[in-house]
Amino acid sequence: MKIIGRNDPCPCGSGKKYKKCCQLKDETANFEIFRYEKYLSIRASAAEKMMNIAQNKIGITLADVLSFLTYSPIFNERKIDLFSYHEDEAILIQFITNSILMYAYPVGNLSNNLLWKHCLNEYRNKFNEEEIKSITATLIN
């Protein structure tokens, strides 16, 4: 891929220099991609730590969580028509649904004691501030 210099003609064909036309848009788009990839990385790290805690400290196996995800009424009652999406979009929707439901795995006898709450209440020191913010912002709002 050819690198575009600031003073080169803009590749959009406007006739302007790149710095006066599309450079800012490209930099903004690249920054947003970076932020989103960082968010996904933080969320994946938090989920991995949560599953490690579930397995090693609480005795919940990954098979337990996967079984819960498969038979969960929330999962089964979703109103997503997967046939109206392309295959890669359907896989993404399924992944997001499973990711969110994983946090909702019940711990103990209390119906409101969910895996994410239990992990943050009992093992908060295992998560960094970005991971805590990611978990709580997604699930509380």
Side-chain angles (χ1 to χ4, degrees):
M1 180 177 200
K2 182 185 172 207
I3 297 177
I4 305 165
R6 288 175 38 86
N7 290 317
D8 291 341
C10 190
C12 76
S14 67
K16 298 178 183 178
K17 289 185 178 183
Y18 179 61
K19 68 182 177 186
K20 297 279 187 180
C21 191
C22 291
Q23 183 180 7
L24 183 58
K25 289 185 252 176
D26 291 346
E27 289 171 353
T28 301
N30 288 338
F31 182 69
E32 289 302 317
I33 290 168
F34 170 79
R35 283 182 46 192
Y36 184 67
E37 288 175 351
K38 183 177 179 184
Y39 164 78
L40 291 178
S41 173
I42 291 167
R43 187 164 170 81
S45 173
E48 182 178 347
K49 288 178 181 179
M50 195 169 62
M51 284 310 305
N52 285 336
I53 291 169
Q55 190 165 3
N56 298 326
K57 306 277 187 190
I58 307 170
I60 298 170
T61 66
L62 183 57
D64 295 332
V65 174
L66 292 175
S67 176
F68 170 74
L69 294 177
T70 304
Y71 297 108
S72 167
I74 301 168
F75 180 82
N76 290 323
E77 292 174 10
R78 70 192 186 288
K79 303 293 183 210
I80 300 170
D81 178 10
L82 296 180
F83 295 108
S84 66
Y85 295 93
H86 295 288
E87 183 178 351
D88 55 342
E89 292 171 333
I91 290 170
L92 178 62
I93 290 168
Q94 196 70 47
F95 172 77
I96 291 168
T97 303
N98 285 351
S99 295
I100 292 170
L101 285 174
M102 178 186 71
Y103 289 88
Y105 188 86
V107 176
N109 296 334
L110 302 174
S111 62
N112 67 345
N113 194 20
L114 305 176
L115 182 58
W116 74 273
K117 287 181 183 179
H118 183 77
C119 286
L120 288 184
N121 288 338
E122 300 295 324
Y123 304 99
R124 191 176 199 91
N125 62 332
K126 302 287 185 190
F127 299 93
N128 66 41
E129 287 303 313
E130 288 180 320
E131 292 165 339
I132 293 169
K133 185 177 176 182
S134 171
I135 294 169
T136 55
T138 302
L139 297 167
I140 293 175
N141 292 332

